[in-house]
């Protein structure tokens, strides 16, 4: 009899586990945990591959990339360690700035390598064109600019990119040694709703 009861409770437990997809509120929870629910992941997700060119314009009358902070020790650093650059860089379909503008990369990059060169990229791609207009993809990660291919994480986004996961690969297309202007190809692979 006790055994039968135990089997029944186990079955009921699993049935509840399978069926409960609505918010559950419990008074025993801490004040900041407002609710919890078990969700079944959707079977279908969209995987998108975007390619565009990122223009970091530091020279000229209207730079899109400006140095906003630097450490006092930067002058002695061969890697510019401690420097922060704010960006609002145009994203275009082709490597030339004159090609179609599809969005902007807004955020900053920080020189975070003390002994070797490396950037921390923290930026939001906001699309200004096409079906993802005004939607964003958030990128974060280390950008070892001297490597041929650098990988950074897609850490989320907005609209259809809410809860997005994925990665971005950056490849330098052109670096102007005189001005510092750079054109970088970004391939972004995103899994989203
Ligand atoms: C830079 O290096 C020089 C020579 O080693 C030193 O005198 C100076 O204090 C250093 N400056 C900073 C800001 O660290
Ligand atoms: C995108 O945002 C801009 C500025 O807020 C707005 O004018 C425009 O209508 C928006 N476009 C779409 C497609 O949502
Ligand atoms: C810029 O400098 C790098 C490193 O010194 C060099 O490899 C590259 O060829 C230069 N590019 C141009 C366009 O001069």
């Amino acid at each position: 009899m006790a055994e039968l009861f135990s089997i029944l409770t186990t079955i009921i437990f699993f049935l509840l586990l399978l069926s409960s997809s609505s918010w559950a509120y419990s008074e025993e929870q801490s004040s900041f945990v407002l609710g919890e629910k078990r969700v079944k992941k959707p079977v279908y997700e969209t995987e998108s591959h975007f390619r565009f060119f990122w223009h970091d314009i530091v020279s000229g009358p209207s730079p899109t990339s400006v140095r906003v902070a630097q450490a006092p020790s930067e002058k002695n650093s061969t890697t510019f360690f401690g420097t922060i650059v704010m960006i609002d860089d145009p994203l275009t379909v082709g490597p030339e700035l004159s090609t179609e503008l599809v969005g902007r990369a807004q955020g900053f990059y920080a020189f975070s390598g003390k002994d070797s060169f490396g950037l921390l990229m923290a930026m939001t791609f906001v699309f200004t064109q096409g079906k993802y207009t005004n939607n964003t993809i958030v990128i974060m990660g280390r950008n070892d600019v001297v490597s041929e291919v650098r990988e950074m994480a897609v850490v989320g986004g907005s609209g259809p990119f809410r809860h997005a996961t994925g990665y971005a690969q950056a490849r330098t297309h052109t670096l102007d040694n005189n001005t510092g202007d750079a054109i970088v190809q970004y391939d972004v692979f995103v899994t989203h709703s």
Side-chain angles (χ1 to χ4, degrees):
M1 189 62 203
E3 203 175 74
L4 184 64
F5 181 74
S6 141
I7 290 168
L8 276 176
T9 44
T10 309
I11 290 170
I12 288 165
F13 174 75
F14 278 109
L15 282 177
L16 281 173
L17 210 63
L18 286 174
S19 65
S20 61
S21 62
S22 55
W23 287 98
Y25 291 88
S26 159
E27 280 167 25
E28 284 158 35
Q29 284 167 345
S30 307
S31 58
F32 69 95
V33 183
L34 295 188
E36 288 178 339
K37 64 178 172 180
R38 291 184 58 79
V39 290
K40 204 172 169 187
K41 286 283 175 186
V43 179
Y44 289 105
E45 289 184 318
T46 309
E47 290 188 1
S48 300
H49 175 189
F50 302 104
R51 176 175 293 166
F52 39 73
F53 291 82
W54 178 96
H55 298 264
D56 200 45
I57 306 164
V58 298
S59 67
S62 182
T64 62
S65 178
V66 292
R67 181 183 295 205
V68 293
Q70 65 190 79
S73 59
E74 194 218 301
K75 285 184 220 65
N76 285 358
S77 169
T78 54
T79 61
F80 304 106
F81 180 58
T83 300
I84 298 177
V85 176
M86 197 63 68
I87 60 168
D88 185 357
D89 287 346
L91 304 172
T92 59
V93 286
E96 289 81 31
L97 191 55
S98 56
T99 59
E100 190 186 5
L101 180 76
V102 292
R104 308 197 71 89
Q106 298 177 336
F108 66 87
Y109 55 83
F111 290 76
S112 54
K114 191 169 180 303
D115 301 317
S116 65
F117 211 65
L119 305 180
L120 162 71
M121 306 298 289
M123 58 184 173
T124 305
F125 292 149
V126 54
F127 295 109
T128 54
Q129 222 277 0
K131 66 172 176 173
Y132 295 121
T133 297
N134 293 347
N135 297 141
T136 62
I137 294 176
V138 183
I139 301 289
M140 191 145 199
R142 177 165 185 264
N143 185 358
D144 167 21
V145 290
V146 292
S147 294
E148 196 182 332
V149 185
R150 293 88 68 181
E151 187 170 315
M152 288 156 258
V154 168
V155 295
S158 66
F161 303 114
R162 186 182 292 174
H163 301 310
T165 56
Y167 61 97
Q169 288 182 327
R171 291 172 175 83
T172 302
H173 182 271
T174 325
L175 172 65
D176 187 320
N177 285 346
N178 296 321
T179 62
D181 291 354
I183 302 168
V184 179
Q185 176 184 313
Y186 269 85
D187 283 278
V188 189
F189 298 86
V190 196
T191 302
H192 60 97
S193 58

